[in-house]
Amino acid sequence: MLENLYPDEYLDSAYEIEFDRLYGEGYRGIIFDVDNTLVPHGAPADERAIRLFAHLKELGYQCCLLSNNKEPRVKMFNDVVQVKYIFKAGKPKVSGYRQAMELMGTDADNTLFVGDQIFTDVYGANRAGIRTILTKPIHPKEEIQIVLKRYLERIVLFFYRHHLKNLK
C-alpha cells in the first residue's frame, strides 16, 4: 500500500545526483520541484542552482520546474536558470507531470523527477510512471502545513528503509 509513496532513490541533496550517469542510461528530461529541493523556500536561484542547470543543458537534458506555487515565485527562480516551468501544478495530480513531459518532449521512460516531499512530489510522479528521486529538504524552515506532513513522511521513510533492507 505504501509503495506508491516510495521513491526510487533517496539522497541528501539534488546536487549529489549523478546526472551524467543517468544521461548515459537514457534519461533526457528532468522535472524539478523548486522550494527546499533546489533552494530554501522562497529563495532565488543561487550559484549552485545556476551551475547545475548550465551543466544539465550542456549534457542535453530538457528541464522543467513543476511547482504548486504561484507564477511570481516560480518565474523569479526561472528567470535565472531559463528552463520550462509550470506553476500552480496541483501536485500530486498526474496532469502536471504529463504536461511537463509534453513541454520537454519526453515520456515516462526517459524522465526523472526530483523533489523533497513524499505526499506531493513522489506520490504524483510515481502515479505518472516517472522515476523518482527524493531529496532531504534544504532548510528546516517551512510552512506549517508542510511541517505537519513531515511527521507523516517520517513514518513512510521508516517503512521505505525497512522495504529496502528486505530487498537485499
Side-chain angles (χ1 to χ4, degrees), residues 29-98:
I30 308 169
I31 303 170
F32 284 98
D33 175 56
V34 179
D35 285 323
N36 251 349
T37 299
L38 296 167
V39 292
H41 188 81
D46 57 17
E47 284 302 315
R48 191 164 64 157
I50 294 165
R51 282 192 309 273
L52 173 63
F53 282 97
H55 180 66
L56 294 174
K57 290 174 189 177
E58 278 177 18
L59 288 173
Y61 278 110
Q62 293 293 313
C63 297
C64 185
L65 307 174
L66 186 68
S67 176
N68 285 347
N69 273 304
K70 295 177 182 169
E71 187 172 23
R73 162 63 188 129
V74 184
K75 186 178 182 316
M76 174 185 67
F77 183 91
N78 191 60
D79 281 347
V80 179
V81 299
Q82 293 291 303
V83 295
K84 295 164 178 62
Y85 70 91
I86 298 167
F87 60 95
K88 292 176 83 174
K91 293 181 291 183
K93 289 193 300 186
V94 172
S95 57
Y97 300 86
R98 289 189 180 135

Side-chain angles (χ1 to χ4, degrees), residues 115-134:
D116 71 299
Q117 291 189 52
I118 290 174
F119 296 107
T120 51
D121 297 332
V122 172
Y123 181 57
N126 280 344
R127 289 175 45 232
I130 301 169
R131 180 173 174 176
T132 56
I133 301 174
L134 176 68

